[in-house]
Amino acid sequence: MIATVGHFALFLALVAAAWAAVSSWLSTVASGRGLARSGERGIYAALAGIVIAVSALEIALVTDDFRLDAVYHYSSAAQALPYKIGALWGSQAGSLLLWSFLLAGMAAITVATNRTKNRALMPWVVTVLGLVMTFFLILVNFVASPFASGPMRPDGVGLNPQLKNYWMMIHPPTLYLGYVGFTVPFAFAIASLAARRTGDIWFRTTRRWTIFAWFFLGTGILMGSYWAYIELGWGGYWAWDPVENASLMPWLTGTAFLHSVMIQEKKRMMKVWNVTLILLTFCLSIFGTFLTRSGIISSVHSFATSDIGPAFAWFLAIVFVGSLTLLILRLPDLPAEARLESVLSREASFLFNNMVLVGIAATVLFLTTFPLISEAATGRKVTMGPPIFNIVNVPWALVLLFLIGVGPLIAWRKATAENLRRNFLVPGLAGLWVFLLFVVLEGRSAAKDLAAMGRSALSFDAATFLDHLKAFYPPICFGLAAFVLTTVAVEFARGVGVRRRQHGEGVLLALARLVERNRRRWGGYVVHVGVVIVFVGIAASSAYRKETVQLVDPGGTLQIDGYAMTYDGFRLEAVDDHVGAITELSVWQDGRFAGRLEASQRWHPNMLYPELRTAFHDAVAAKGGDPAAYRARIQGIFALIARLERTAGREVKTPSTEVAIHKSFSPAAPQRFGEDFYVTPLGVDPISGRANFRVFVNPMVNFLWLGGLVFVLGASICILPDSRERRRLEASMALEDRAAA
Amino acid sequence: MDGRRLKFVLIGLGLAATMAFLFVVGTQQSDGGFAYYVTVDEFLVKGAPAGHFRVNGKVRPGSIERLDAGRRVVFTVADPKTAAALPVDFTGIIPDTFVDDADVVVEGKRRPDGVFEATTLLAKCPSKYEAAK
């Protein structure tokens, strides 16, 4: 029943989306007002169909309808309600449905908010949106249907335990909002080319859409790293995994786009470049979805392997070639109305930031897909690990950090010596001072690295040179961070000072008014501060992290980098869908008691084995009774799993680890501010309790998440409606209407 | 093309060239993360003895020998299709999923005595468990 409703609703949505695309396109040729309206209604109808399908799938998940494959494989009767709901995007078909749903929602909002505006562009916008929707709806109708079903099954397999995490529940929808959101500015860009309205209306109309998509993509990436950090137990947050790279690339090109449109606004140049950037960003978003969902490049956490690959490859090729052809045909409509005058100018610094951002995105793309390229070209498979990504990208990330400081302050057209001195002397000195301070703190090892760099430079040994240069990356990063932060501080101080003098306002009021008067500019500064804090967190936590692996018996102690951890004892539990050994730990930081922690190693038994299922339920039932009996039953499950694995010759459990983290924010230990003491139990013997602990000390890692919060704050300021922006857009529209008439 | 334009083009080309240079240097570093990906059979028959490799195969049942209180393991990885087998010595973090017959990827290089010294050991675990049997 549910499946029938779902199939039917999705099919209607497909017809509606296809109609939206066709009738909107016809209206541009036949200039039928009615056709255009009908196309817009098609978008609404498609949204209605998808909403019904999403609801149907959610009902099936919540009511445990195990006839549906998407329910059977990703949910189970015992699964907690939030995870039943979230299992929608656990399955591949379900996540494609989510994509379609978000896209249809955004398309509907676009149509609704442009009812009376942009009449020349809208038919083309609806055509593009309709086509993209049609593609995703073809996938969920014919290639990977979320409503594929079989016979009723007594219980489901359940979601992968590692995905049962709060962050993992909100991370995919957040990321998808970002991926999907870029469709709207892309559609407007294509529309402006197709309709030969190549002014600034397309990007002014979609400015907030772009920030919205970029914001959600950025937040989604950070959430994903946070999930990896607290859930995967390897002490890190970024592994240059294909799926991670997939989300980073469109974010980088999107960031470049956000900056370079400002040049087009001010100077009416870089028009072709901007269209190219949004085209690249959209293609990379589709490519990202494709990488995540197709498993084409093996990935540590690609949870999917499937047959949607060819469909995506074709779609991507059509979009890319089609839009590029259109762009080339319209090149005469996109003349630059100004040109770069000096390397020392804001235009040039934005251009350089674009080059670096796109350069990094291109290298990441190249390195991510290199295994495929190499296999196709030479027949040899190769793999690319994280070090090579760091070797290539870290120096350029540092250049980017420098440009973050330069871009907003350097003069337009051509910077004078006076402009440079006024804006950069103090920040430059501050940066240099911090850099030297950290080099001096490194002391002898810095001197050794410097000497080795000198020797290798003389013998043209680039590899050794780079190896030793690496030691200076953290001080360079901290120095540049100080430089950028000082530029921003000076800007805020100047702005507030001017308002105080002119309007006699207090500091806080002046600050609030200042930001409110030009949200984009000051919100942008806040975003920059967030990014700088993230950079500092990455540099410190990757350069100065400490790690140890030790076997400890209950009662024993482990020491690392000024910390002592005693293993007080352990207890066993059988809850939800797993048995676990919880280790109880006490942590001392530099001789002071820091707190108690609990880290656990869990085994999720495969409930499809009846004997395991029975033993597990017996153990859960024994909870609250005699503690010794409860413990014995759980130990019995561990033994049973080991026995079953020997006879079955395969895994009958999924292990997962719950890490324990002690965060330091205490003013008593300022040198440890933002540091994490991070414990992963790699294995716990259920009888003796002997545990193999992997322990990390990650200095300043929390700066990453704090910087993320600052980023969210800044982006929120940028995305609020801005009356200045609205007036500019209206002025452009009036101008264009006059020109057309 | 006027002089100014040329300057920007040169800067762009310089950027691309340094990235390519860093890439080449990176692939040549022993721990650069660049490795050939081969099966056990390919490694023994075609693989060059020098260089960094990732070798994929299955753990031969009964070959696992855990040493140093579980921090070092010596085992044999076998090609599932042919009879080729490679002795492996690994010190480090042994994943939970490392068991007899597990599908593993070992990364490292071959020692002169023919034993493969691995710096990384990945054991693939099925992303979800299917029905029993």
Side-chain angles (χ1 to χ4, degrees):
Chain A
M1 171 59 193
I2 287 268
T4 317
V5 171
H7 276 303
F8 196 61
L10 281 183
F11 188 72
L12 284 183
L14 171 62
V15 173
W19 170 248
V22 170
S23 72
S24 295
W25 179 72
L26 282 177
S27 79
T28 64
V29 214
S31 81
R33 190 79 172 141
L35 278 173
R37 285 285 174 213
S38 174
E40 296 186 350
R41 281 189 215 109
I43 298 280
Y44 293 135
L47 174 64
I50 295 171
V51 167
I52 294 172
V54 169
S55 315
L57 189 52
E58 282 297 1
I59 291 171
L61 281 165
V62 171
T63 59
D64 295 330
D65 191 340
F66 296 119
R67 276 170 303 189
L68 265 62
D69 291 348
V71 179
Y72 169 70
H73 285 294
Y74 298 93
S75 184
S76 66
Q79 201 152 304
L81 185 63
Y83 297 126
K84 282 185 181 175
I85 296 171
L88 178 82
W89 47 91
S91 66
Q92 164 164 290
S95 63
L96 291 173
L97 180 63
L98 179 68
W99 229 99
S100 320
F101 168 62
L102 296 175
L103 179 58
M106 291 186 195
I109 294 173
T110 309
V111 167
T113 52
N114 285 288
R115 274 187 320 273
T116 55
K117 285 183 293 186
N118 286 325
R119 293 326 302 172
L121 292 181
M122 279 313 283
W124 288 106
V125 171
V126 174
T127 307
V128 174
L129 292 173
L131 282 175
V132 180
M133 280 164 67
T134 305
F135 167 69
F136 278 92
L137 285 165
I138 287 176
L139 285 186
V140 289
N141 267 292
F142 304 117
V143 185
S145 172
F147 295 99
S149 47
M152 187 63 183
R153 288 156 277 208
D155 197 355
V157 174
L159 204 59
N160 184 313
Q162 287 182 330
L163 298 181
K164 288 183 188 167
N165 175 293
Y166 174 68
W167 291 101
M168 209 50 206
M169 286 295 102
I170 56 172
H171 157 66
T174 311
L175 211 53
Y176 279 18
L177 277 174
Y179 279 145
V180 178
F182 281 119
T183 315
V184 178
F186 168 74
F188 271 89
I190 293 297
S192 83
L193 292 180
R196 308 193 91 142
R197 298 260 179 141
T198 51
D200 51 2
I201 290 178
W202 70 270
F203 63 80
R204 283 194 196 273
T205 299
T206 56
R207 190 183 77 90
R208 288 167 67 207
W209 278 110
T210 312
I211 297 179
F212 171 89
W214 171 82
F215 166 75
F216 275 101
L217 196 55
T219 315
I221 293 171
L222 275 171
M223 280 179 184
S225 334
Y226 191 69
W227 164 77
Y229 183 67
I230 61 173
E231 189 65 31
L232 296 183
W234 56 283
Y237 39 82
W238 190 265
W240 294 108
D241 180 86
V243 172
E244 297 169 345
N245 299 345
S247 58
L248 182 66
M249 291 184 286
W251 189 82
L252 290 170
T253 53
T255 310
F257 174 73
L258 276 179
H259 287 90
S260 68
V261 285
M262 291 186 218
I263 306 289
Q264 185 171 349
E265 269 180 43
K266 285 263 183 208
K267 295 273 163 183
R268 299 183 180 277
M269 50 200 257
M270 298 174 84
K271 292 177 184 171
V272 179
W273 177 243
N274 285 330
V275 177
T276 313
L277 275 182
I278 197 67
L279 161 66
L280 276 180
T281 307
F282 177 71
C283 284
L284 286 170
S285 293
I286 297 288
F287 184 63
T289 316
F290 166 55
L291 266 191
T292 316
R293 303 305 332 183
S294 71
I296 184 164
I297 299 172
S298 67
S299 148
V300 198
H301 39 279
S302 93
F303 292 96
T305 45
S306 79
D307 39 28
I308 57 166
F312 259 101
W314 278 110
F315 180 64
L316 205 55
I318 292 168
V319 169
F320 190 71
V321 174
S323 2
L324 211 59
T325 313
L326 182 62
L327 176 62
I328 291 167
L329 287 175
R330 291 293 188 260
L331 276 180
D333 293 340
L334 298 162
E337 291 166 42
R339 45 189 233 168
L340 287 165
E341 295 184 28
S342 163
V343 179
L344 287 175
S345 67
R346 190 172 303 181
E347 297 93 309
S349 85
F350 275 40
L351 182 65
F352 295 144
N353 106 0
N354 268 237
M355 285 180 182
V356 175
L357 283 167
V358 174
I360 293 177
T363 358
V364 172
L365 179 66
F366 176 70
L367 290 174
T368 309
T369 51
F370 190 76
L372 291 178
I373 302 170
S374 159
E375 200 184 349
T378 65
R380 299 196 76 167
K381 282 189 202 171
V382 296
T383 57
M384 291 287 173
I388 194 154
F389 282 90
N390 292 330
I391 289 169
V392 181
N393 288 323
V394 170
W396 290 108
L398 292 173
V399 173
L400 197 61
L401 189 55
F402 173 68
L403 290 170
I404 292 178
V406 175
L409 291 191
I410 196 165
W412 290 99
R413 285 189 58 209
K414 190 170 171 53
T416 58
E418 167 58 21
N419 167 276
L420 294 178
R421 193 193 57 76
R422 182 179 131 88
N423 284 320
F424 298 114
L425 183 64
V426 174
L429 287 176
L432 192 65
W433 187 78
V434 170
F435 166 71
L436 289 175
L437 180 75
F438 276 92
V439 171
V440 171
L441 283 179
E442 295 276 324
R444 193 165 297 167
S445 86
K448 259 191 215 142
D449 283 314
L450 207 58
M453 275 163 67
R455 276 197 306 278
S456 50
L458 287 178
S459 56
F460 296 103
D461 183 352
T464 319
F465 184 84
L466 276 176
D467 232 19
H468 290 280
L469 182 64
K470 255 187 248 166
F472 292 95
Y473 287 163
I476 293 174
C477 179
F478 299 145
L480 289 172
F483 167 69
V484 180
L485 293 179
T486 320
T487 59
V488 176
V490 168
E491 272 294 278
F492 270 97
R494 271 190 204 141
V496 169
V498 168
R499 282 201 73 87
R500 291 191 68 186
R501 275 198 303 282
Q502 289 179 353
H503 304 274
E505 294 162 348
V507 175
L508 284 180
L509 182 66
L511 184 66
R513 286 264 165 82
L514 187 72
V515 173
E516 203 233 308
R517 297 277 303 179
N518 193 348
R519 293 215 181 90
R520 185 165 86 181
R521 175 169 172 204
W522 298 98
Y525 283 143
V526 176
V527 170
H528 283 174
V529 170
V531 172
V532 168
I533 298 174
V534 168
F535 265 78
V536 168
I538 293 173
S541 61
S542 44
Y544 305 123
R545 91 191 308 206
K546 303 261 186 335
E547 178 187 349
T548 181
V549 180
Q550 289 179 30
L551 272 178
V552 187
D553 286 309
T557 303
L558 171 157
Q559 302 217 340
I560 177 175
D561 193 39
Y563 285 90
M565 177 186 95
T566 59
Y567 178 17
D568 300 328
F570 77 108
R571 52 178 206 275
L572 298 176
E573 61 166 11
V575 284
D576 291 342
D577 58 350
H578 63 264
V579 289
I582 304 168
T583 60
E584 297 161 352
L585 315 162
S586 302
V587 180
W588 277 265
Q589 184 189 56
D590 302 320
R592 275 189 306 274
F593 179 70
R596 286 182 208 291
L597 295 177
E598 289 191 350
S600 52
Q601 173 69 41
R602 292 176 175 174
W603 283 10
H604 304 255
N606 184 344
M607 300 296 185
L608 299 172
Y609 284 84
E611 57 267 58
L612 257 180
R613 194 181 165 83
T614 317
F616 181 72
H617 286 298
D618 286 353
V620 173
K623 191 180 183 181
D626 176 23
Y630 179 53
R631 198 180 175 97
R633 279 190 190 275
I634 298 171
Q635 286 168 339
I637 295 174
F638 278 99
L640 178 60
I641 289 175
R643 212 165 49 239
L644 276 175
E645 285 186 343
R646 269 199 300 279
T647 51
R650 68 196 298 275
E651 297 272 331
V652 299
K653 50 133 203 293
T654 308
S656 76
T657 310
E658 290 297 302
V659 306
I661 302 174
H662 174 267
K663 296 185 179 296
S664 304
F665 289 109
S666 158
Q671 78 282 9
R672 293 197 185 272
F673 186 82
E675 181 171 288
D676 275 358
F677 179 82
Y678 181 112
V679 186
T680 309
L682 294 173
V684 182
D685 185 284
I687 310 287
S688 71
R690 169 179 282 202
N692 195 4
F693 288 108
R694 188 178 189 189
V695 178
F696 300 90
V697 175
N698 289 328
M700 295 169 86
V701 71
N702 287 295
F703 279 55
L704 207 68
W705 324 123
L706 291 175
L709 290 178
V710 177
F711 167 84
V712 168
L713 173 73
S716 310
I717 294 174
C718 291
I719 208 169
L720 288 172
D722 190 326
S723 53
R724 283 161 55 118
E725 296 291 336
R726 212 188 55 232
R727 278 197 301 277
R728 282 185 195 149
L729 174 61
E730 280 163 5
S732 297
M733 283 177 170
L735 195 73
E736 188 141 302
D737 285 346
R738 271 204 302 281
Chain B
M1 191 181 287
D2 61 89
R4 244 186 250 113
R5 208 148 176 195
L6 188 69
K7 195 149 66 173
F8 283 99
V9 170
L10 285 179
I11 291 172
L13 286 178
L15 184 98
T18 34
M19 280 183 169
F21 173 72
L22 288 168
F23 169 74
V24 171
V25 171
T27 53
Q28 283 167 357
Q29 277 183 346
S30 59
D31 60 344
F34 177 90
Y36 292 100
Y37 189 93
V38 291
T39 62
V40 176
D41 193 55
E42 285 166 343
F43 181 74
L44 290 175
V45 180
K46 298 177 224 160
H52 213 68
F53 282 88
R54 280 186 150 199
V55 185
N56 176 218
K58 271 186 186 297
V59 179
R60 175 167 286 174
S63 73
I64 298 177
E65 197 182 337
R66 290 176 195 262
L67 308 161
D68 295 350
R71 260 177 284 165
R72 180 172 164 211
V73 65
V74 177
F75 61 100
T76 305
V77 57
D79 197 297
K81 292 196 197 100
T82 66
L86 175 70
V88 180
D89 185 340
F90 169 74
T91 304
I93 288 150
I94 299 160
D96 289 337
T97 42
F98 178 74
V99 289
D100 282 349
D101 264 334
D103 199 0
V104 290
V105 177
V106 287
E107 185 178 342
K109 48 175 75 161
R110 201 174 185 176
R111 284 200 310 237
D113 64 356
V115 175
F116 189 84
E117 194 167 292
T119 49
T120 331
L121 168 61
L122 298 172
K124 285 187 192 166
C125 82
S127 70
K128 54 177 197 267
Y129 22 57
E130 291 295 338
K133 263 80 84 177

